[in-house]
Amino acid sequence: MYAAFALLIAAIGSEVTATALLPRAEGFKDPLWSAVVLVGYGLSIWLLARVVRTLSVSVTYAIWAGVGTAAVAVVGVFFLGESMSWIKTISLALIIAGVIGLNLVAG
């Protein structure tokens, strides 16, 4: 089970990295960055497919989507010059609370 969570963390990292690099692909007009982004998303999905062999798909996807969304928002603020408002902060907290809630129910 720990291996599945390690793969899930890697899947989230790959997806967040690909999403953060998406602006460099310039609408998929830059072939190099487009390839990097597509490989990142592909790796993330492949890792998710491995994770759902061990963990339920509903919990796996909720963690991947929720943590990934929150992480992309943080990356956007700290590395991409995006703003962080109190509404965005509360919304991210609700996403995280939802993921925690799903894990508690699934456990």
Side-chain angles (χ1 to χ4, degrees):
M1 178 125 113
Y2 292 114
F5 278 109
L7 290 176
L8 181 55
I9 290 167
I12 292 166
S14 179
E15 186 267 335
V16 169
T17 300
T19 302
L21 294 174
L22 200 51
R24 292 195 177 221
E26 299 178 11
F28 290 104
K29 292 179 183 169
D30 184 310
L32 175 64
W33 287 109
S34 296
V36 170
V37 167
L38 291 173
V39 167
Y41 284 137
L43 175 61
S44 182
I45 296 299
W46 179 76
L47 290 168
L48 279 177
R50 302 282 313 246
V51 172
V52 297
R53 292 179 181 174
T54 305
L55 303 175
S56 70
V57 70
S58 61
V59 171
T60 299
Y61 186 75
I63 293 170
W64 179 76
V67 174
T69 299
V72 167
V74 170
V75 167
V77 170
F78 287 104
F79 298 104
L80 302 175
E82 297 178 4
S83 64
M84 178 64 91
S85 67
W86 65 272
I87 294 174
K88 193 181 228 183
T89 303
I90 290 171
S91 298
L92 289 172
L94 288 171
I95 291 169
I96 293 167
V99 169
I100 292 169
L102 283 171
N103 281 306
L104 291 174
V105 171

